[in-house]
Amino acid sequence: MYEFEARIGDSLVQMADSDALPLSGEVALVTGASRGIGRAIALELASHGADIGVNYTASSSAAEDVAEQIRGLGRQAVVVQADISDGDAVSAMTKAVTGKLGTPTILINNAGITRDMLAMRMKSADWEAVVGTNLTGSFLTTQSVLRGMLRARRGRIITIGSVIGTVGNAGQANYAAAKAGLAGMTRSLAHELGSRGITVNLVAPGFIQTDITADLSDEVIGNVMQRIPLDRLGDPADVAPLVAFLAGPGGAYITGQIIHVDGGMVMG
């Protein structure tokens, strides 16, 4: 899936000298990096020269596979299990990444969960779980890296939101509220941190082919497709290059933005 090496003669060499890569010397912490969009982002950032803290919640084998691919690109990787809704676990994760790789200068708030149900039937535990991971967890993780970024007077905080945070969706009041909250958090932090050289942006994917969308029925997919001008579902590889751009030199004057990657589903 990810081809970053070129064959010269009988040996394999890295496609580019790491010193020439735009994220060389940077450390990125990617939450929910073991699969889907997080996995694609972690590998994309590594291909641009960053060392990666690979966070996961459940699948250690999937996270280790991502780390091995990162090391195959000539970058360093450390795998850290943490439930980001737990403040103590988040602090331990950041300390582990800092101890092994150095201070994170790039944070990708990607980890998220769903617990779908119509509002009148939604259990309070399902509301709290989704808001606790998707919104509070992203805040806790951001807070955990801020001290290092402030000392360095530079940083990139990129949060993965959702088109659902903009348009809403039946049966996803908890998810929509959390993702909409992330947009407000992004704008507030952009105001707060801009003078310290830290940019804060949110990337809001549309319907991307991941484990979550794999469970959708053909009827639901058909209805979704009618709302997408580009007439296809997205792929994690459609999201990752934008994140890498925002994390790199090209994103230096972009902050407080909500950028949709949705095939045209939301316009305006």
Side-chain angles (χ1 to χ4, degrees):
M1 175 185 275
Y2 293 90
E3 297 292 337
F4 298 114
E5 294 180 334
R7 184 175 294 277
I8 297 180
D10 294 325
S11 63
L12 285 171
V13 299
Q14 293 299 321
M15 189 170 68
D17 181 358
S18 61
D19 290 340
L21 296 175
L23 298 181
S24 179
E26 305 291 342
V27 174
L29 171 56
V30 184
T31 66
S34 66
R35 60 179 183 166
I37 293 172
R39 177 190 181 95
I41 290 171
L43 292 168
E44 185 78 14
L45 295 178
S47 78
H48 286 259
D51 296 324
I52 312 293
V54 178
N55 162 255
Y56 76 98
T57 301
S59 179
S60 60
S61 60
E64 288 290 353
D65 178 68
V66 174
E68 282 304 307
Q69 291 193 51
I70 291 167
R71 294 176 188 122
L73 297 170
R75 310 315 310 164
Q76 297 183 75
V78 59
V79 174
V80 186
Q81 192 278 337
D83 174 357
I84 65 165
S85 67
D86 180 335
D88 290 339
V90 168
S91 294
M93 171 181 67
T94 303
K95 288 178 182 177
V97 172
T98 301
K100 293 288 183 66
L101 303 178
T103 300
T105 48
I106 299 167
L107 171 64
I108 311 299
N109 285 313
N110 169 74
I113 62 172
T114 57
R115 297 286 188 274
D116 297 350
M117 181 57 64
L118 293 175
M120 66 179 297
R121 297 178 181 173
M122 185 177 291
K123 297 177 181 178
S124 60
D126 291 333
W127 173 275
E128 291 165 4
V130 170
V131 173
T133 295
N134 297 15
L135 180 56
T136 304
S138 293
F139 173 74
L140 292 173
T141 308
T142 298
Q143 195 176 48
S144 77
V145 303
L146 272 182
R147 191 177 301 277
M149 289 185 180
L150 288 168
R151 278 198 299 262
R153 297 192 67 84
R154 65 189 177 91
R156 300 281 194 270
I157 299 170
I158 302 163
T159 297
I160 306 303
S162 171
V163 67
I164 301 303
T166 301
V167 302
N169 197 35
Q172 290 192 304
N174 50 2
Y175 186 77
K179 293 298 187 179
L182 288 173
M185 184 183 83
T186 293
R187 293 187 174 110
S188 293
L189 289 173
H191 282 292
E192 212 172 295
L193 301 171
S195 65
R196 306 300 290 272
I198 300 169
T199 66
V200 191
N201 292 288
L202 183 141
V203 173
F207 283 81
I208 307 296
Q209 296 183 78
T210 63
D211 292 348
I212 294 175
T213 56
D215 293 333
L216 298 177
S217 68
D218 291 341
E219 180 181 1
V220 170
I221 293 295
N223 291 335
V224 168
M225 292 294 287
Q226 293 178 24
R227 300 159 62 189
I228 302 175
L230 289 184
D231 199 31
R232 69 174 177 87
L233 297 183
D235 186 87
D238 292 317
V239 180
L242 173 60
V243 174
F245 173 79
L246 291 172
Y253 200 58
I254 302 172
T255 196
Q257 301 304 306
I258 313 303
I259 305 173
H260 289 90
V261 183
D262 60 6
M265 184 175 173
V266 175
M267 299 187 191

